[in-house]
Coordinates of all heavy atoms in Angstrom, one line a residue:
M9 N 0.9 3.3 19.1 CA 2.0 2.8 18.2 C 3.0 1.9 19.0 O 3.4 0.9 18.4 CB 2.6 4.0 17.6 CG 3.7 3.9 16.6 SD 3.0 3.3 15.0 CE 2.4 4.8 14.4
D10 N 3.2 2.3 20.2 CA 4.2 1.3 21.0 C 3.7 0.1 21.2 O 4.5 -1.0 21.0 CB 4.6 2.1 22.3 CG 5.3 3.3 22.1 OD1 6.0 3.4 21.1 OD2 5.4 4.1 23.1
S11 N 2.5 -0.1 21.5 CA 1.9 -1.3 21.7 C 1.8 -2.3 20.3 O 2.1 -3.5 20.4 CB 0.5 -1.4 22.2 OG -0.5 -0.7 21.3
L12 N 1.7 -1.5 19.3 CA 1.8 -2.3 17.9 C 3.1 -2.8 17.7 O 3.3 -4.0 17.4 CB 1.3 -1.3 16.7 CG -0.1 -0.9 16.7 CD1 -0.3 0.2 15.7 CD2 -0.9 -2.1 16.3
F13 N 4.2 -1.9 17.8 CA 5.4 -2.4 17.5 C 6.0 -3.5 18.5 O 6.6 -4.4 18.2 CB 6.5 -1.3 17.5 CG 6.4 -0.6 16.2 CD1 5.9 0.7 16.0 CD2 7.0 -1.2 15.0 CE1 5.8 1.3 14.8 CE2 6.9 -0.5 13.8 CZ 6.4 0.8 13.7
G14 N 5.5 -3.3 19.8 CA 5.8 -4.2 20.9 C 5.1 -5.6 20.6 O 5.9 -6.7 20.8
A15 N 3.9 -5.5 20.0 CA 3.3 -6.9 19.8 C 4.0 -7.5 18.6 O 4.1 -8.7 18.6 CB 1.8 -6.6 19.4
L16 N 4.5 -6.7 17.6 CA 5.0 -7.3 16.4 C 6.5 -7.6 16.7 O 7.2 -8.3 15.8 CB 5.0 -6.3 15.3 CG 3.5 -6.1 14.7 CD1 3.5 -5.1 13.7 CD2 3.0 -7.3 14.2
A17 N 7.1 -7.2 17.8 CA 8.5 -7.5 18.1 C 8.8 -9.0 18.4 O 9.8 -9.5 18.2 CB 9.0 -6.7 19.4
D18 N 7.7 -9.8 18.6 CA 7.9 -11.2 19.0 C 7.6 -12.0 17.9 O 6.6 -11.9 17.2 CB 7.0 -11.6 20.1 CG 7.2 -13.0 20.6 OD1 6.6 -13.9 20.0 OD2 8.0 -13.2 21.5
P19 N 8.6 -13.0 17.4 CA 8.4 -13.8 16.2 C 7.2 -14.8 16.4 O 6.5 -15.0 15.4 CB 9.6 -14.6 16.1 CG 10.5 -14.3 17.3 CD 9.9 -13.2 18.1
T20 N 6.9 -15.2 17.6 CA 5.7 -16.1 17.7 C 4.3 -15.3 17.4 O 3.5 -15.7 16.7 CB 5.6 -16.6 19.2 OG1 6.8 -17.4 19.4 CG2 4.4 -17.5 19.3
R21 N 4.3 -14.1 17.9 CA 3.2 -13.2 17.7 C 3.0 -12.9 16.2 O 1.9 -12.9 15.6 CB 3.1 -12.0 18.5 CG 2.9 -12.3 19.9 CD 2.7 -11.1 20.8 NE 3.8 -10.3 21.0 CZ 4.6 -10.3 22.0 NH1 4.3 -11.2 23.1 NH2 5.6 -9.5 22.2
R22 N 4.1 -12.7 15.6 CA 4.1 -12.3 14.1 C 3.5 -13.5 13.3 O 2.7 -13.5 12.3 CB 5.4 -11.9 13.6 CG 5.8 -10.5 13.9 CD 7.1 -10.0 13.3 NE 8.2 -10.9 13.1 CZ 9.2 -10.9 14.1 NH1 9.2 -10.0 15.1 NH2 10.2 -11.7 14.0
N23 N 4.2 -14.7 13.7 CA 3.6 -16.0 13.1 C 2.2 -16.2 13.3 O 1.5 -16.7 12.4 CB 4.5 -17.2 13.6 CG 4.2 -18.5 12.9 OD1 3.4 -19.3 13.4 ND2 4.7 -18.5 11.7
I24 N 1.6 -15.9 14.5 CA 0.3 -16.1 14.8 C -0.6 -15.2 13.8 O -1.5 -15.6 13.3 CB -0.1 -15.8 16.3 CG1 0.5 -16.9 17.2 CG2 -1.6 -15.7 16.5 CD1 0.4 -16.6 18.7
L25 N -0.1 -14.0 13.8 CA -0.8 -13.0 12.9 C -0.8 -13.5 11.4 O -1.9 -13.4 10.8 CB -0.2 -11.6 12.9 CG -0.5 -10.8 14.0 CD1 0.2 -9.4 14.0 CD2 -2.1 -10.5 14.2
E26 N 0.3 -14.0 11.0 CA 0.4 -14.6 9.7 C -0.6 -15.7 9.4 O -1.3 -15.7 8.4 CB 1.7 -15.0 9.4 CG 2.0 -15.4 8.0 CD 3.4 -15.9 7.6 OE1 4.4 -15.2 8.3 OE2 3.6 -16.9 6.9
R27 N -0.8 -16.6 10.4 CA -1.7 -17.8 10.3 C -3.1 -17.2 10.3 O -4.0 -17.7 9.6 CB -1.5 -18.6 11.4 CG -0.1 -19.4 11.4 CD 0.1 -20.4 12.5 NE -0.8 -21.5 12.2 CZ -1.6 -22.1 12.9 NH1 -1.6 -21.7 14.3 NH2 -2.4 -23.1 12.5
L28 N -3.4 -16.1 11.0 CA -4.7 -15.6 11.1 C -5.2 -14.8 9.8 O -6.3 -14.6 9.6 CB -4.9 -14.6 12.4 CG -4.9 -15.4 13.6 CD1 -4.8 -14.4 14.9 CD2 -6.2 -16.2 13.9
T29 N -4.1 -14.3 9.1 CA -4.5 -13.8 7.8 C -5.1 -14.7 6.8 O -5.8 -14.4 5.8 CB -3.3 -13.0 7.1 OG1 -2.3 -13.9 6.9 CG2 -2.8 -11.9 8.0
E30 N -4.7 -16.1 7.0 CA -5.1 -17.1 6.1 C -6.5 -17.6 6.6 O -7.3 -18.1 5.7 CB -4.2 -18.2 6.1 CG -2.8 -17.7 5.5 CD -1.7 -18.7 5.7 OE1 -1.9 -19.8 6.3 OE2 -0.5 -18.4 5.5
N31 N -6.7 -17.7 7.9 CA -7.9 -18.3 8.5 C -8.3 -17.8 9.9 O -7.3 -17.6 10.7 CB -7.7 -19.8 8.5 CG -8.5 -20.6 7.8 OD1 -9.6 -20.3 7.4 ND2 -8.2 -22.0 7.5
N32 N -9.5 -17.7 10.2 CA -9.8 -17.5 11.7 C -9.7 -18.8 12.3 O -10.0 -19.8 11.8 CB -11.3 -17.0 11.8 CG -11.5 -15.7 10.9 OD1 -10.7 -14.8 10.9 ND2 -12.6 -15.6 10.3
L33 N -9.1 -18.8 13.5 CA -8.8 -20.0 14.3 C -9.3 -19.8 15.8 O -9.3 -18.8 16.2 CB -7.3 -20.2 14.3 CG -6.5 -20.3 12.9 CD1 -5.1 -20.2 13.1 CD2 -6.9 -21.6 12.4
T34 N -9.4 -21.0 16.4 CA -9.8 -21.0 17.8 C -8.5 -20.9 18.5 O -7.4 -21.2 18.0 CB -10.5 -22.3 18.3 OG1 -9.7 -23.3 18.0 CG2 -11.9 -22.4 17.4
V35 N -8.6 -20.5 19.9 CA -7.3 -20.5 20.7 C -6.6 -21.8 20.6 O -5.4 -22.0 20.6 CB -7.6 -20.0 22.0 CG1 -6.4 -20.0 23.1 CG2 -8.2 -18.4 22.0
S36 N -7.4 -22.9 20.8 CA -6.9 -24.2 20.8 C -6.1 -24.6 19.5 O -5.1 -25.2 19.5 CB -8.0 -25.3 21.0 OG -8.5 -25.1 22.3
E37 N -6.8 -24.1 18.5 CA -6.1 -24.5 17.1 C -4.7 -23.7 17.0 O -3.7 -24.2 16.4 CB -7.0 -24.0 15.9 CG -8.2 -24.9 15.7 CD -9.2 -24.3 14.8 OE1 -9.3 -23.1 14.6 OE2 -10.0 -25.1 14.2
I38 N -4.7 -22.5 17.5 CA -3.4 -21.8 17.5 C -2.4 -22.4 18.4 O -1.3 -22.6 18.1 CB -3.8 -20.3 18.0 CG1 -4.5 -19.5 17.0 CG2 -2.3 -19.5 18.2 CD1 -5.1 -18.2 17.4
A39 N -2.8 -23.0 19.7 CA -1.9 -23.5 20.5 C -1.3 -24.8 20.0 O -0.2 -25.1 20.3 CB -2.7 -23.6 21.9
K40 N -2.1 -25.5 19.2 CA -1.7 -26.7 18.8 C -0.4 -26.6 17.8 O 0.5 -27.5 17.6 CB -2.7 -27.5 17.9 CG -3.7 -28.1 18.7 CD -4.8 -28.8 17.9 CE -5.9 -29.3 18.8 NZ -7.1 -29.8 18.0
A41 N -0.3 -25.5 17.2 CA 0.8 -25.2 16.2 C 2.1 -24.9 16.9 O 3.2 -24.8 16.3 CB 0.4 -24.1 15.3
Y42 N 2.1 -24.7 18.3 CA 3.3 -24.3 19.0 C 3.6 -25.2 20.1 O 2.6 -25.9 20.7 CB 3.1 -22.8 19.5 CG 2.9 -21.9 18.5 CD1 1.5 -21.5 18.1 CD2 3.8 -21.3 17.7 CE1 1.3 -20.7 17.1 CE2 3.6 -20.4 16.7 CZ 2.4 -20.1 16.4 OH 2.0 -19.2 15.3
D43 N 4.8 -25.3 20.6 CA 5.2 -26.0 21.6 C 5.2 -25.3 23.0 O 6.1 -25.2 23.6 CB 6.6 -26.6 21.5 CG 7.1 -27.8 22.4 OD1 6.1 -28.4 22.9 OD2 8.3 -27.8 22.7
Y44 N 4.1 -24.6 23.2 CA 3.8 -23.8 24.4 C 2.6 -24.3 25.1 O 1.7 -24.8 24.5 CB 3.7 -22.3 24.1 CG 4.8 -21.7 23.3 CD1 4.5 -20.9 22.2 CD2 6.1 -21.8 23.8 CE1 5.5 -20.2 21.5 CE2 7.1 -21.1 23.1 CZ 6.9 -20.3 22.0 OH 8.0 -19.7 21.3
A45 N 2.5 -24.0 26.5 CA 1.3 -24.3 27.2 C 0.2 -23.2 26.7 O 0.5 -22.1 26.3 CB 1.6 -24.2 28.7
L46 N -1.0 -23.6 26.9 CA -2.1 -22.8 26.7 C -2.0 -21.4 27.2 O -2.4 -20.4 26.6 CB -3.5 -23.5 26.9 CG -4.6 -22.9 26.4 CD1 -4.7 -22.7 24.8 CD2 -6.0 -23.7 26.7
P47 N -1.6 -21.3 28.5 CA -1.5 -20.0 29.1 C -0.6 -19.0 28.4 O -0.7 -17.8 28.4 CB -1.1 -20.2 30.6 CG -1.6 -21.6 30.8 CD -1.4 -22.3 29.5
T48 N 0.6 -19.6 27.9 CA 1.6 -18.8 27.1 C 0.9 -18.3 25.9 O 1.1 -17.2 25.5 CB 2.8 -19.7 26.9 OG1 3.3 -20.1 28.1 CG2 3.8 -18.9 26.1
I49 N 0.1 -19.1 25.1 CA -0.4 -18.7 24.0 C -1.5 -17.7 24.3 O -1.6 -16.5 23.6 CB -1.1 -19.8 23.2 CG1 -0.1 -20.8 22.6 CG2 -2.1 -19.3 22.0 CD1 0.9 -20.1 21.4
S50 N -2.2 -17.8 25.3 CA -3.2 -16.8 25.8 C -2.5 -15.4 26.1 O -3.2 -14.4 25.8 CB -3.9 -17.3 26.9 OG -4.8 -18.4 26.8
K51 N -1.4 -15.5 26.6 CA -0.6 -14.2 26.9 C -0.2 -13.6 25.6 O -0.4 -12.3 25.4 CB 0.6 -14.5 27.7 CG 0.3 -14.8 29.2 CD 1.5 -14.9 30.0 CE 1.2 -15.3 31.4 NZ 2.3 -15.5 32.3
H52 N 0.2 -14.3 24.6 CA 0.5 -13.7 23.2 C -0.7 -13.2 22.6 O -0.6 -12.0 22.0 CB 1.2 -14.8 22.4 CG 2.6 -15.2 22.6 ND1 3.5 -14.2 22.5 CD2 3.0 -16.3 23.0 CE1 4.8 -14.8 22.7 NE2 4.4 -16.1 23.0
L53 N -1.8 -13.8 22.8 CA -3.0 -13.3 22.2 C -3.5 -12.0 22.9 O -4.0 -11.1 22.3 CB -4.1 -14.4 22.1 CG -3.9 -15.7 21.3 CD1 -4.9 -16.7 21.5 CD2 -3.7 -15.3 19.8
S54 N -3.3 -11.9 24.2 CA -3.7 -10.7 25.0 C -2.9 -9.6 24.4 O -3.4 -8.5 24.3 CB -3.3 -11.0 26.4 OG -4.3 -11.8 27.0
V55 N -1.6 -9.8 24.2 CA -0.7 -8.7 23.7 C -1.1 -8.2 22.4 O -1.3 -7.0 22.0 CB 0.8 -9.1 23.6 CG1 1.5 -8.1 22.9 CG2 1.3 -9.4 25.0
L56 N -1.6 -9.1 21.4 CA -2.1 -8.8 20.1 C -3.4 -8.2 20.2 O -3.6 -7.2 19.5 CB -2.1 -10.1 19.3 CG -0.9 -10.8 18.9 CD1 -1.1 -12.1 18.3 CD2 0.0 -9.9 18.0
E57 N -4.2 -8.5 21.1 CA -5.6 -8.0 21.3 C -5.5 -6.6 21.8 O -6.2 -5.6 21.4 CB -6.4 -8.8 22.3 CG -7.9 -8.5 22.3 CD -8.6 -9.4 23.0 OE1 -8.2 -10.2 23.9 OE2 -10.0 -9.6 22.7
R58 N -4.5 -6.2 22.8 CA -4.2 -4.9 23.3 C -3.8 -3.9 22.2 O -4.2 -2.8 22.2 CB -3.4 -4.9 24.5 CG -4.0 -5.3 25.8 CD -3.0 -5.0 27.0 NE -1.7 -5.6 27.0 CZ -1.5 -6.8 27.3 NH1 -2.3 -7.5 27.8 NH2 -0.2 -7.2 27.2
A59 N -3.0 -4.5 21.3 CA -2.5 -3.7 20.2 C -3.6 -3.6 19.0 O -3.4 -3.0 18.1 CB -1.2 -4.4 19.6
Q60 N -4.7 -4.2 19.3 CA -5.9 -4.2 18.4 C -5.5 -4.8 16.9 O -6.0 -4.4 15.9 CB -6.4 -2.9 18.2 CG -7.0 -2.2 19.4 CD -7.5 -0.7 19.2 OE1 -7.1 -0.1 18.3 NE2 -8.2 -0.4 20.1
L61 N -4.7 -5.9 17.1 CA -4.3 -6.6 15.8 C -5.2 -7.8 15.6 O -5.1 -8.3 14.5 CB -2.8 -7.0 15.9 CG -1.8 -5.9 15.8 CD1 -0.5 -6.3 16.2 CD2 -1.8 -5.4 14.3
I62 N -5.8 -8.2 16.7 CA -6.8 -9.3 16.7 C -8.0 -9.0 17.6 O -7.9 -8.0 18.3 CB -6.2 -10.6 17.2 CG1 -5.9 -10.6 18.7 CG2 -5.0 -11.2 16.4 CD1 -5.6 -11.9 19.4
R63 N -9.0 -9.8 17.3 CA -10.1 -9.7 18.2 C -10.5 -11.2 18.5 O -10.3 -12.0 17.7 CB -11.3 -8.9 17.7 CG -12.1 -9.4 16.6 CD -13.1 -8.5 16.1 NE -13.7 -8.9 14.8 CZ -14.5 -9.8 14.6 NH1 -15.1 -10.5 15.5 NH2 -14.9 -10.1 13.4
K64 N -11.0 -11.4 19.7 CA -11.7 -12.7 20.0 C -13.2 -12.7 20.3 O -13.7 -11.7 20.8 CB -11.0 -13.2 21.3 CG -9.5 -13.4 21.2 CD -8.9 -14.1 22.4 CE -8.8 -13.2 23.6 NZ -8.0 -13.7 24.7
N65 N -13.8 -13.7 19.8 CA -15.3 -13.9 20.0 C -15.5 -15.2 20.6 O -15.1 -16.3 20.0 CB -15.9 -13.5 18.6 CG -17.5 -13.5 18.8 OD1 -18.0 -13.1 19.7 ND2 -18.2 -14.1 17.6
K66 N -16.3 -15.2 21.6 CA -16.7 -16.5 22.2 C -17.8 -17.3 21.4 O -18.9 -16.7 21.0 CB -17.2 -16.4 23.6 CG -17.2 -17.7 24.4 CD -17.3 -17.5 25.9 CE -17.3 -18.9 26.5 NZ -17.3 -18.8 28.0
V67 N -17.4 -18.4 20.9 CA -18.4 -19.3 20.2 C -18.6 -20.6 20.9 O -17.6 -21.4 20.9 CB -17.9 -19.5 18.8 CG1 -18.8 -20.3 17.9 CG2 -17.7 -18.2 18.1
G68 N -19.7 -20.7 21.7 CA -19.9 -21.9 22.5 C -18.8 -21.8 23.6 O -18.8 -21.0 24.3
R69 N -18.0 -22.9 23.7 CA -17.0 -23.0 24.7 C -15.6 -22.5 24.3 O -14.7 -22.5 25.1 CB -16.9 -24.4 25.3 CG -18.1 -24.9 26.0 CD -18.1 -26.4 26.3 NE -16.9 -26.7 27.0 CZ -16.7 -27.9 27.4 NH1 -17.5 -29.0 27.3 NH2 -15.5 -28.2 28.0
E70 N -15.5 -22.2 23.1 CA -14.3 -21.8 22.5 C -14.3 -20.3 22.1 O -15.3 -19.7 22.0 CB -13.9 -22.5 21.2 CG -13.6 -23.9 21.3 CD -12.1 -24.2 21.6 OE1 -11.4 -23.1 21.8 OE2 -11.6 -25.4 21.4
Y71 N -13.0 -19.7 22.1 CA -12.9 -18.4 21.5 C -12.4 -18.5 20.1 O -11.3 -19.1 19.9 CB -11.8 -17.6 22.4 CG -12.5 -17.0 23.6 CD1 -12.3 -17.7 24.9 CD2 -13.2 -15.8 23.6 CE1 -13.0 -17.1 26.0 CE2 -13.7 -15.2 24.7 CZ -13.7 -15.9 25.9 OH -14.2 -15.4 27.1
K72 N -12.9 -17.8 19.3 CA -12.5 -17.7 17.8 C -11.7 -16.4 17.8 O -12.0 -15.4 18.2 CB -13.8 -17.6 16.9 CG -13.4 -18.0 15.5 CD -13.3 -19.4 15.2 CE -13.4 -19.6 13.7 NZ -13.3 -21.0 13.5
V73 N -10.5 -16.5 17.0 CA -9.6 -15.3 17.0 C -9.6 -14.9 15.6 O -9.5 -15.7 14.5 CB -8.2 -15.7 17.4 CG1 -7.3 -14.6 17.4 CG2 -8.2 -16.5 18.8
Y74 N -9.7 -13.5 15.3 CA -9.8 -12.9 14.0 C -8.7 -11.9 13.8 O -8.5 -11.1 14.8 CB -11.2 -12.2 13.8 CG -12.4 -13.1 14.1 CD1 -12.9 -13.3 15.3 CD2 -12.9 -13.7 13.0 CE1 -13.9 -14.2 15.6 CE2 -14.1 -14.6 13.1 CZ -14.6 -14.7 14.3 OH -15.7 -15.6 14.7
F75 N -8.2 -11.7 12.8 CA -7.1 -10.7 12.4 C -7.8 -9.4 12.2 O -8.9 -9.4 11.5 CB -6.3 -11.2 11.3 CG -5.4 -10.1 10.6 CD1 -4.4 -9.7 11.5 CD2 -5.6 -9.6 9.4 CE1 -3.5 -8.7 11.0 CE2 -4.7 -8.7 8.9 CZ -3.7 -8.2 9.7
E76 N -7.4 -8.4 12.7 CA -7.9 -7.0 12.6 C -6.9 -6.1 11.8 O -5.9 -5.7 12.3 CB -8.2 -6.4 13.9 CG -9.4 -7.0 14.7 CD -10.7 -6.6 13.9 OE1 -10.8 -5.5 13.3 OE2 -11.6 -7.5 13.9
P77 N -7.1 -6.1 10.5 CA -6.0 -5.4 9.6 C -5.9 -3.9 9.7 O -4.8 -3.3 9.4 CB -6.4 -5.8 8.2 CG -7.9 -6.0 8.3 CD -8.0 -6.7 9.7
Q78 N -6.9 -3.3 10.4 CA -6.8 -1.8 10.4 C -5.5 -1.3 11.2 O -5.0 -0.3 10.8 CB -8.2 -1.3 11.2 CG -8.2 0.2 11.1 CD -8.3 0.8 9.7 OE1 -8.7 0.2 8.8 NE2 -7.7 2.0 9.6
S79 N -5.1 -1.9 12.2 CA -4.0 -1.6 12.9 C -2.6 -1.6 12.1 O -1.8 -0.8 12.3 CB -3.7 -2.3 14.2 OG -4.8 -2.0 15.1
M80 N -2.7 -2.5 11.2 CA -1.5 -2.6 10.3 C -1.4 -1.3 9.4 O -0.3 -1.1 9.0 CB -1.7 -3.9 9.4 CG -1.5 -5.2 10.3 SD -0.1 -5.4 11.3 CE 1.1 -5.9 10.0
K81 N -2.6 -0.9 9.0 CA -2.5 0.4 8.2 C -1.8 1.5 8.9 O -1.1 2.3 8.3 CB -4.0 0.7 7.9 CG -4.0 2.0 7.0 CD -5.5 2.4 6.7 CE -5.5 3.7 5.7 NZ -6.8 4.3 5.7
T82 N -2.0 1.6 10.3 CA -1.3 2.6 11.0 C 0.2 2.4 10.9 O 1.0 3.3 10.7 CB -1.7 2.5 12.5 OG1 -3.2 2.7 12.6 CG2 -1.1 3.6 13.3
I83 N 0.7 1.1 11.0 CA 2.1 1.0 10.9 C 2.6 1.2 9.5 O 3.7 1.8 9.3 CB 2.3 -0.7 11.3 CG1 2.1 -0.8 12.8 CG2 3.7 -1.1 10.9 CD1 2.2 -2.3 13.2
S84 N 1.9 0.7 8.5 CA 2.2 1.1 7.2 C 2.4 2.6 6.8 O 3.3 2.9 6.2 CB 1.1 0.4 6.2 OG 1.4 0.7 4.9
E85 N 1.5 3.4 7.4 CA 1.6 4.7 7.2 C 2.8 5.3 7.8 O 3.5 6.1 7.3 CB 0.3 5.5 7.7 CG -1.0 5.2 6.8 CD -2.2 5.6 7.5 OE1 -2.1 6.1 8.6 OE2 -3.2 5.6 6.8
Y86 N 3.1 4.8 9.1 CA 4.4 5.3 9.8 C 5.6 4.9 9.0 O 6.4 5.8 8.8 CB 4.3 4.7 11.2 CG 5.4 5.1 12.0 CD1 5.5 6.2 12.8 CD2 6.5 4.2 12.2 CE1 6.4 6.5 13.6 CE2 7.6 4.5 13.0 CZ 7.6 5.7 13.6 OH 8.7 6.1 14.5
V87 N 5.7 3.6 8.6 CA 6.8 3.2 7.9 C 7.0 4.0 6.5 O 8.1 4.3 6.1 CB 6.8 1.7 7.7 CG1 7.9 1.2 6.8 CG2 6.9 0.9 9.0
S88 N 5.8 4.1 5.9 CA 5.9 4.8 4.6 C 6.5 6.3 4.7 O 7.2 6.8 3.9 CB 4.5 5.0 4.0 OG 4.1 3.9 3.6
F89 N 6.1 7.0 5.8 CA 6.8 8.3 6.0 C 8.3 8.2 6.0 O 8.9 9.0 5.3 CB 6.3 8.8 7.4 CG 6.9 10.1 7.7 CD1 6.6 11.3 7.1 CD2 8.0 10.2 8.7 CE1 7.3 12.6 7.5 CE2 8.6 11.3 8.9 CZ 8.3 12.4 8.5
Y90 N 8.8 7.3 6.9 CA 10.3 7.1 6.9 C 10.9 6.6 5.6 O 12.1 7.0 5.3 CB 10.6 6.4 8.3 CG 10.4 7.2 9.4 CD1 9.3 7.1 10.1 CD2 11.3 8.1 9.7 CE1 9.1 7.9 11.3 CE2 11.1 8.9 10.8 CZ 10.1 8.8 11.7 OH 9.8 9.6 12.7
K91 N 10.1 5.7 4.9 CA 10.6 5.3 3.6 C 10.9 6.5 2.6 O 12.0 6.6 2.0 CB 9.7 4.2 3.0 CG 10.2 3.6 1.7 CD 9.1 2.7 1.2 CE 9.7 2.1 -0.2 NZ 8.8 1.2 -0.7
K92 N 9.9 7.4 2.6 CA 10.1 8.6 1.7 C 11.2 9.4 2.3 O 12.0 9.9 1.4 CB 8.8 9.4 1.9 CG 7.6 8.8 1.2 CD 6.4 9.7 1.3 CE 5.1 9.0 0.9 NZ 3.9 9.7 1.2
F93 N 11.4 9.6 3.6 CA 12.6 10.3 4.1 C 13.9 9.8 3.6 O 14.7 10.4 3.1 CB 12.4 10.3 5.6 CG 13.7 10.9 6.2 CD1 14.0 12.3 6.3 CD2 14.6 10.1 6.8 CE1 15.2 12.8 6.9 CE2 15.9 10.5 7.4 CZ 16.0 11.8 7.5
W94 N 14.0 8.4 3.8 CA 15.3 7.8 3.5 C 15.5 7.6 2.0 O 16.6 7.8 1.6 CB 15.4 6.4 4.2 CG 15.7 6.5 5.6 CD1 14.9 6.3 6.7 CD2 16.9 7.1 6.2 NE1 15.5 6.6 7.9 CE2 16.8 7.1 7.6 CE3 18.1 7.5 5.6 CZ2 17.6 7.5 8.4 CZ3 19.1 8.0 6.5 CH2 18.9 8.1 8.0
T95 N 14.4 7.5 1.2 CA 14.6 7.5 -0.2 C 15.2 8.8 -0.7 O 16.1 8.9 -1.5 CB 13.2 7.3 -0.9 OG1 12.8 6.0 -0.5 CG2 13.4 7.2 -2.5
T96 N 14.6 9.9 -0.1 CA 15.2 11.3 -0.4 C 16.7 11.5 0.0 O 17.4 12.0 -0.8 CB 14.2 12.3 0.3 OG1 12.9 12.2 -0.2 CG2 14.8 13.8 -0.1
Q97 N 17.0 11.0 1.2 CA 18.4 11.1 1.7 C 19.4 10.3 0.7 O 20.4 10.9 0.4 CB 18.4 10.6 3.0 CG 17.6 11.3 4.1 CD 18.2 12.8 4.1 OE1 19.2 13.1 4.2 NE2 17.2 13.6 4.2
I98 N 18.9 9.1 0.4 CA 19.7 8.3 -0.6 C 19.9 9.0 -2.0 O 21.0 9.1 -2.5 CB 19.3 6.9 -0.6 CG1 19.4 6.2 0.7 CG2 19.8 6.1 -1.8 CD1 18.8 4.9 0.8
N99 N 18.7 9.5 -2.5 CA 18.9 10.1 -3.7 C 19.8 11.4 -3.6 O 20.5 11.6 -4.6 CB 17.5 10.6 -4.2 CG 16.6 9.5 -4.6 OD1 17.1 8.4 -4.9 ND2 15.2 9.7 -4.7
N100 N 19.7 12.1 -2.5 CA 20.6 13.2 -2.3 C 22.0 12.8 -2.2 O 22.9 13.5 -3.0 CB 20.2 14.1 -1.2 CG 18.9 14.9 -1.2 OD1 18.4 15.1 -2.4 ND2 18.2 15.3 -0.2
L101 N 22.3 11.8 -1.6 CA 23.6 11.3 -1.5 C 24.2 10.8 -2.8 O 25.3 11.2 -3.3 CB 23.7 10.1 -0.5 CG 25.1 9.5 -0.3 CD1 26.1 10.4 0.2 CD2 25.0 8.2 0.6
E102 N 23.4 10.2 -3.6 CA 23.7 9.7 -5.0 C 24.1 11.0 -5.9 O 25.1 11.0 -6.6 CB 22.6 8.9 -5.7 CG 22.4 7.5 -5.0 CD 21.3 6.8 -5.7 OE1 20.4 7.5 -6.4 OE2 21.1 5.6 -5.5
K103 N 23.2 12.0 -5.9 CA 23.5 13.2 -6.6 C 24.8 13.9 -6.1 O 25.7 14.3 -7.0 CB 22.3 14.1 -6.4 CG 21.2 13.9 -7.1 CD 20.0 14.8 -6.8 CE 18.6 14.3 -7.3 NZ 17.6 15.2 -6.9
F104 N 25.0 13.9 -4.8 CA 26.3 14.5 -4.3 C 27.5 13.7 -4.8 O 28.5 14.3 -5.2 CB 26.3 14.5 -2.7 CG 27.6 15.0 -2.1 CD1 27.8 16.2 -2.0 CD2 28.3 13.9 -1.6 CE1 29.1 16.6 -1.4 CE2 29.6 14.4 -1.0 CZ 30.0 15.7 -0.9
L105 N 27.4 12.3 -4.7 CA 28.5 11.5 -5.1 C 28.8 11.6 -6.6 O 29.9 11.4 -7.2 CB 28.3 10.1 -4.7 CG 28.4 9.8 -3.1 CD1 28.0 8.4 -2.9 CD2 29.7 10.2 -2.6
A106 N 27.7 11.8 -7.4 CA 27.9 11.9 -8.9 C 28.6 13.1 -9.2 O 29.3 13.2 -10.2 CB 26.4 11.8 -9.5
K107 N 28.4 14.2 -8.5 CA 29.2 15.5 -8.7 C 30.7 15.4 -8.5 O 31.4 16.2 -9.1 CB 28.5 16.6 -7.8 CG 27.2 17.0 -8.4 CD 26.7 18.1 -7.4 CE 25.2 18.4 -7.7 NZ 24.7 19.4 -6.9
K108 N 31.1 14.4 -7.7 CA 32.5 14.3 -7.4 C 33.4 13.7 -8.4 O 33.2 13.0 -9.2 CB 32.8 13.7 -6.0 CG 32.3 14.5 -4.9 CD 32.9 14.1 -3.6 CE 32.7 15.3 -2.6 NZ 33.8 15.6 -1.9

């Protein structure tokens, strides 16, 4: 869970993931969209890969990068738990304030 939230903490990595939900891309195609050196993009991709948010597959001389949505389900379940908690807390507060 820590690696997932750590990977998503960076706006560049979130943007890369967003782009990958639309299309599978090569590392070079991803790098072209940013003003970073290729090693910097590779580091971002490594963080995403360790968090199991992407996978890479070598195709010829290039690596194709694919979004792996299963890890997002883990995050969604975690956030849903706390959403229910806070919804209950807010509803209780509303009831309390309505009594006053």
